[in-house]
Amino acid sequence: MSERRSVAAAVRAVLDAADPTDKVMKARAAARDWRLGRLDFRFDVAMPARPARPAAPELLPPNRMPKRGRGGSERGRIALIHALAHIEFVAIDLAFDLIGRFGAEFPVDFTDDWMRVGADEAMHFALLDRRLRSLGSHYGALPAHDGLWDAAAETAHDAKARLAIVPMVLEARGLDVTPATIERFAAAEDVATTKILTRIVNDEVRHVRAGTRWFEFACVAARCVPETTWQDLVRTHFRGAIKPPFNDSARDSAGLTRAYYQALADG
């Protein structure tokens, strides 16, 4: 009887999938196989330095990205949905890379949490791409910025740093800004996109909560104070600023209290 596939092999298949449809299918399959007990808790396959990417969209530095409107016109809304779809596409790889790169350092529950996150991100991307197609566009029709994977490359050596930056900074920022984005789509009477983004922001609370939970677990194991350790890691590995407005209620629901971010926001 052949040996069952490992978690690492299933995760690597997601990261190696360049075609968006194929990546979504492999992400869903990996999460389903893990949930059904079909994968062995083994980390016997190395993760790539960079996931496979489709030929489109063209990836540009953030400072070369064309300006988007505020979402009032259909053209502006398509550009904004495309940018959000790209974020969710990269988020698939961020979730699965976290499992494959660091899962062996944590209990099985860590893989449980991030498999669910990866499946969520695949679903979010699929919903946004479907919405683009209903508007006569598709993912890859517009350029996207290439800065999202930088956080993964910067923190590839350290689980605490990865958790501090990706879920606890980048995804937490989504909690702050998405409600205003939802309001813009609602003002444009784009009910379909409003529903998708509402679903996404509700899911992202769980994602940030998973990041905070496992960051605090790693800090306890290392006998360090979570809040000050997070601040030090953000100062070291994050190139942007931690600045308001903050969605304090959503952050609190995710366990990311002001004790973490207020000191950095105050400079």
Side-chain angles (χ1 to χ4, degrees):
M1 183 180 294
S2 61
E3 189 177 54
R4 295 196 310 173
R5 192 161 67 142
S6 68
V7 171
V11 166
R12 179 66 193 250
V14 177
L15 298 172
D16 286 345
D19 177 77
T21 300
D22 189 34
K23 189 179 290 289
V24 167
M25 290 177 61
K26 284 183 166 60
R28 289 173 169 167
R32 182 178 61 251
D33 287 347
W34 173 254
R35 186 178 69 252
L36 296 175
R38 296 172 180 167
L39 301 176
D40 282 346
F41 188 64
R42 298 196 325 274
F43 296 90
D44 53 352
V45 178
M47 296 301 106
R50 186 176 181 83
R53 288 284 176 261
E58 179 186 10
L59 298 179
L60 301 173
N63 60 4
R64 286 187 51 207
M65 285 292 295
K67 297 294 184 183
R68 295 194 306 269
R70 294 184 61 82
S73 68
E74 182 171 287
R75 181 178 178 182
R77 285 187 284 122
I78 288 172
L80 183 49
I81 295 167
H82 190 279
L84 295 170
H86 181 64
I87 290 170
E88 298 297 335
F89 183 75
V90 178
I92 300 170
D93 288 326
L94 289 170
F96 283 99
D97 183 80
L98 185 62
I99 297 167
R101 194 171 298 277
F102 301 114
E105 301 177 24
F106 292 90
V108 173
D109 289 356
F110 178 90
T111 297
D112 287 343
D113 280 350
W114 295 105
M115 281 287 187
R116 282 192 290 268
V117 171
D120 283 349
E121 307 293 19
M123 180 266 290
H124 296 166
F125 170 78
L127 289 173
L128 291 168
D129 186 43
R130 187 184 309 157
R131 181 62 182 142
L132 285 172
R133 292 179 187 279
S134 74
L135 293 170
S137 188
H138 63 277
Y139 178 64
L142 298 171
H145 77 72
D146 196 25
L148 293 172
W149 191 254
D150 290 349
E154 173 70 21
T155 58
H157 64 290
D158 183 348
K160 288 198 299 297
R162 175 68 64 87
L163 291 164
I165 303 304
V166 175
M168 297 176 72
V169 172
L170 300 180
E171 290 207 66
R173 192 59 181 161
L175 300 181
D176 301 333
V177 303
T178 304
T181 305
I182 291 171
E183 289 179 5
R184 291 204 293 271
F185 280 100
E189 299 183 350
D190 187 336
V191 176
T193 307
T194 298
K195 289 181 177 178
I196 293 169
L197 295 184
T198 300
R199 181 172 185 172
I200 288 173
V201 76
N202 289 336
D203 288 344
E204 298 293 353
V205 172
R206 288 190 294 102
H207 300 178
V208 177
R209 186 185 303 128
T212 306
R213 172 194 179 190
W214 291 111
F215 178 78
E216 291 178 349
F217 177 94
C219 287
V220 169
R223 298 182 180 180
C224 57
V225 178
E227 293 85 355
T228 54
T229 301
W230 182 82
Q231 292 160 14
D232 289 342
L233 290 168
V234 171
R235 290 186 186 102
T236 302
H237 299 290
F238 184 61
R239 298 171 187 170
I242 306 299
K243 59 185 179 181
F246 299 116
N247 186 344
D248 290 321
S249 61
R251 285 171 172 251
D252 283 348
S253 295
L256 187 62
T257 65
R258 278 189 171 270
Y260 278 100
Y261 56 87
Q262 190 61 58
L264 294 185
D266 290 342

